[in-house]
Amino acid sequence: MRTLSTLVVALLIVGFSSLAFGAQNEETAKSWQEQATGTRAQVMAVYGQLEEMGDKDNDVAKDLIADAVKQLGEGDKFMKKGDEAMEAKEWEKANYGYNMAWQYYVKAATAGLNAKSILAGQ
Amino acid sequence: MVTRKVLGLSSLVVFLMVGMLMVSCQNTDSTDGNQAESSSKASTAGQNGNLSASADQIAAERNLSPKDVEAALKTYMPSGKHDEYLMFSSGGHSGQVLVIGVPSMRLLKVIAAFTPEPWQGFGYGSEESMKLLKDGDMKTGKELRWADTHHPALTETDGEYDGEFLFINDKANARVAVIDLRDFETKQMIKTPNIISDHGSTFVTPNSEYVIQASQYATPLPFEEYAPMEEYQEKYRGLIALHKFDREKGRIVEEGSFQIELPPYWQDLCDSGKKVSEGWIFCNSINTELATGGIGQGLPPFEAGVSQRDMDYMHVINLEKAAEVAKQPGKTTEISGVKVIPLDVAISEGLLYFIPEPKSPHGVDVTPGGEYLVVSGKLDTHATVYGFDLIQKAIKDENFEGKDVYGVPILKYNDVVAAQLEIGLGPLHTQFDNEGNAYTSVFIESTLAKWKLGPPYNTGEDAWTLTEKVPVQYNIGHNVCAEGDTVSPDGKYCVALNKWSIDRFSPVGPLLPQNFQLIDVSGDKMQVLYDMPIGVGEPHYVQMIKADKLNPFPVYPEVGYNPGTMSVDPDAAKAGQEKIVRSDGKVEVWMTGIRSHFNPEHISVNEGDEVTLHITNVERARDATHGFAIEGYNINLSLEPGESSTVKFVADQPGVFPFYCSEFCSALHLEMMGYLLVEPEK
């Protein structure tokens, strides 16, 4: 099983290393898309680990996992908006969609990592 | 996965021996007589072997691991023994300041700062406290009775905490309070003109000449002016207030205070330069995008708009030069009665420079020697370290990459960065120890990261390396280490100020306490020792001072002392000279209190009379505090030994109203009462 620290490093590298947004053009939209996509992948990795660990019937961990799933869902909605805007070459909207998706994925990661921390200490 | 083991007898004995030895070793370094005594007793108990057997049983029954027992040994404070450090913590929404002992994590006091607090009689009738609260109201007269205290700042001498005064800000209303640590009471409250919110406050210069307060959410300047959001770039502004502190008076004073206009980039935390960088101040900013939100209108919300750019701007301000410019005729504009250096003057006089800093930074922390500035962008993974010497060189060489839209010169990022470390997901704030280590809170991954500074603190391969992380529970904001933002940090302890506690404490409904976690940083590995719930608000920042630097009054120095003026009040009632004086529609009473009576005990007035009570606690015994409460009149005073206070009210309710001592003072405390008799208007 990958350790928490490995996961965090992975999140760092994929989720935060390619930030370039501000000029509102195709390049920045792609950069935000890449960032959001990468962060989502890492959130899913956390989720996979949590599945592997099981929730151990821990209500607190269950609640956090539910929150992570909800945040992930919200992120996915914005991801879709970003993709649609990208398709329509509306770079500003695409930037916004991917940025918001990423914001939600970070929240999902926070909740998931806290759940993992609780389960690891149980 | 961690499996908790129940201690066996032998391991516990070894553990306790180690623990005792640690206590003993700590005491070797201490000059505190109480602690030495404690050590002696502990050793004796250990030698008898009695403690080991009983402790083993307790540990087994409570399912305590060896680490748990070690933590308990490091934090337990026997009755009557005093803590080595005191923390001054913002009380968040309570608008107060919390005083907490370390390592015991015992709450010692809640200092009333901005909000009424009945135990201390703050805001319940005493003239002194009512005036203070009024001073902090809006200039329109609108009362402000809540506050969001954020950053306490102890006064410093040569960059060391001196234990004399404490400043605290109210983020919600841009106010600053001054607390005198001789009696731990608030002496001054200022509603800062021109701004209405502040986050980067309070911070002091190394000799506390200035208290620094930066605005947060930009508004028109002054904030009472109206301008629509469409005029944000043109009309909205940030600002930094430099409050001149007169140590002798113990007050912030108008003369020498000034403000500097800044672009509307939400200015965030600041820190003062120290030693080699003394005379300069540094502030973060987080909205160089000039985002204006508008989610209701289908526009990107602030959370997205404010995090668009890769870089924001650290503000580098030449305070020494700014103070000189503020004195020069024609260089300032008066706004709301305050001298303000306009932005164009700040630029032309070379007072303000920008440095690109990782996106949405939250902390800027100057190293003990003043050589480096550590910045952590909460949406970046690094601690970015700027060299003060590099900054100075770039300014001297005018080596700029350009100017921002307001004309402020921007230094070249690569020319001023001394180092950058991968810290973790969401780094925020950094404190330091006495061995060249830095400790950075990491929000998203909920850890405290320890890393080594570069030269002169560490050299070779050791320099700029991440050495350890310890998980904390959960979502750490600030962290504090013992004297960790001064020129000579102590190490020993850090405290993680966690925003969420989730499952750490017994459930108390949906609103959960914050979680202060004490961490031992004295060994090779950091160890979380203790969880302290904070259930009065969301504390933000804390400073931790060596307890022996504080020298508070045990009782007020003389009978009749007025804490507002820190001198004997000419109107103070004296023992044996109690009296009631009546004139047309006015009743003035000079009253004393001592265990267990007030004198006089009967006060007869007519409905509608203006009543003034001067009450003195004539006790000289430590802790012999008396309260004075009048039932039905919303009046309660706290009169500490020697203190004199005045309360004025209109007797607008006829009837009989007992008054009594509201602080349990003696065996006959219940008998310490009297009657206010209000005869109805005829």
Side-chain angles (χ1 to χ4, degrees), chain B residues 332-470:
Chain B
T332 58
T333 303
E334 191 170 301
I335 307 177
S336 310
V338 181
K339 278 184 180 176
V340 180
I341 299 177
L343 181 55
D344 59 344
V345 175
I347 296 167
S348 64
E349 293 287 336
L351 310 181
L352 176 66
Y353 300 91
F354 287 159
I355 298 177
E357 55 182 353
K359 67 187 302 172
S360 299
H362 203 46
V364 51
D365 300 288
V366 178
T367 52
E371 312 90 342
Y372 303 110
L373 291 63
V374 180
V375 170
S376 298
K378 57 185 182 280
L379 299 181
D380 180 69
T381 59
H382 301 91
T384 302
V385 184
Y386 299 88
F388 181 71
D389 57 343
L390 300 175
I391 293 170
Q392 290 301 296
K393 185 174 186 313
I395 291 173
K396 189 180 171 194
D397 296 346
E398 298 189 347
N399 194 9
F400 307 131
E401 69 174 37
K403 294 179 176 179
D404 81 329
V405 293
Y406 296 94
V408 181
I410 305 166
L411 277 57
K412 289 179 183 167
Y413 177 77
N414 288 331
D415 288 351
V416 293
V417 170
Q420 195 173 46
L421 280 84
E422 189 89 39
I423 293 289
L425 205 56
L428 296 180
H429 308 283
T430 300
Q431 294 258 306
F432 307 96
D433 72 9
N434 55 339
E435 294 180 339
N437 296 303
Y439 300 83
T440 300
S441 56
V442 193
F443 177 82
I444 294 173
E445 62 176 69
S446 290
T447 59
L448 182 67
K450 178 179 178 181
W451 51 280
K452 288 186 178 297
L453 293 167
Y457 304 93
N458 298 284
T459 52
E461 289 186 358
D462 270 356
W464 311 120
T465 53
L466 179 67
T467 52
E468 189 191 358
K469 285 187 193 178
V470 63

Side-chain angles (χ1 to χ4, degrees), chain B residues 207-258:
Chain B
N207 284 294
S208 307
E209 303 94 335
Y210 290 98
V211 182
I212 300 163
Q213 181 186 27
S215 64
Q216 185 168 49
Y217 304 124
T219 62
L221 186 60
F223 68 88
E224 292 98 333
E225 299 283 327
Y226 173 78
M229 296 305 297
E230 292 74 23
E231 296 177 7
Y232 186 88
Q233 183 172 331
E234 182 192 346
K235 295 210 172 151
Y236 284 52
R237 289 292 179 269
L239 184 145
I240 186 165
L242 290 313
H243 299 284
K244 185 77 177 169
F245 182 61
D246 185 326
R247 193 185 285 260
E248 203 168 308
K249 291 179 181 165
R251 299 288 187 276
I252 287 169
V253 293
E254 207 170 291
E255 190 178 350
S257 293
F258 63 99

Side-chain angles (χ1 to χ4, degrees), chain B residues 271-380:
Chain B
D271 201 2
S272 186
K274 50 181 81 124
K275 292 200 167 176
V276 297
S277 50
E278 186 169 348
W280 291 75
I281 49 181
F282 313 97
C283 298
N284 284 322
S285 62
I286 56 173
N287 183 16
T288 52
E289 293 87 349
L290 300 173
T292 55
I295 195 167
Q297 292 82 44
L299 298 167
F302 280 113
E303 69 173 316
V306 171
S307 57
Q308 288 179 41
R309 298 182 71 230
D310 279 355
M311 295 284 182
D312 287 296
Y313 295 134
M314 177 160 64
H315 296 34
V316 178
I317 298 169
N318 187 338
L319 174 60
E320 207 170 287
K321 197 170 174 185
E324 289 305 314
V325 169
K327 292 176 192 165
Q328 295 169 17
K331 295 285 174 69
T332 58
T333 303
E334 191 170 301
I335 307 177
S336 310
V338 181
K339 278 184 180 176
V340 180
I341 299 177
L343 181 55
D344 59 344
V345 175
I347 296 167
S348 64
E349 293 287 336
L351 310 181
L352 176 66
Y353 300 91
F354 287 159
I355 298 177
E357 55 182 353
K359 67 187 302 172
S360 299
H362 203 46
V364 51
D365 300 288
V366 178
T367 52
E371 312 90 342
Y372 303 110
L373 291 63
V374 180
V375 170
S376 298
K378 57 185 182 280
L379 299 181
D380 180 69

Side-chain angles (χ1 to χ4, degrees), chain A residues 2-55:
Chain A
R2 279 174 292 179
T3 63
L4 181 63
S5 57
T6 309
L7 181 72
V8 167
V9 169
L11 266 169
L12 301 180
I13 294 166
V14 178
F16 285 79
S17 60
S18 58
L19 302 177
F21 181 42
Q24 311 277 328
N25 54 32
E26 182 176 8
E27 188 188 345
T28 59
K30 279 183 178 168
S31 175
W32 273 101
Q33 181 189 40
E34 186 184 335
Q35 179 186 329
T37 305
T39 304
R40 189 184 191 285
Q42 293 307 321
V43 170
M44 294 312 294
V46 178
Y47 192 73
Q49 289 181 18
L50 288 168
E51 277 195 324
E52 203 174 317
M53 294 172 82
D55 62 26

Side-chain angles (χ1 to χ4, degrees), chain A residues 73-90:
Chain A
E74 292 297 316
D76 285 349
K77 285 182 198 168
F78 278 98
M79 197 73 176
K80 191 169 172 231
K81 287 182 185 176
D83 288 342
E84 286 167 1
M86 198 75 164
E87 189 82 21
K89 300 187 186 304
E90 293 176 317

Side-chain angles (χ1 to χ4, degrees), chain B residues 115-178:
Chain B
T115 52
E117 198 288 320
W119 173 54
Q120 291 156 78
F122 190 79
Y124 292 92
S126 81
E127 289 280 286
E128 299 78 17
S129 66
M130 300 309 281
K131 181 184 179 307
L132 270 176
L133 286 168
K134 195 169 165 44
D135 287 348
D137 287 340
M138 301 290 285
K139 69 181 180 188
T140 57
K142 176 88 176 165
E143 285 190 352
L144 301 172
R145 291 296 176 270
W146 89 283
D148 189 5
T149 55
H150 263 53
H151 302 99
L154 289 154
T155 44
E156 297 178 9
T157 300
D158 295 331
E160 301 270 13
Y161 297 152
D162 55 39
E164 292 188 357
F165 296 91
L166 179 80
F167 308 100
I168 183 79
N169 74 312
D170 166 22
K171 169 180 162 160
N173 306 292
R175 296 187 290 175
V176 173
V178 181

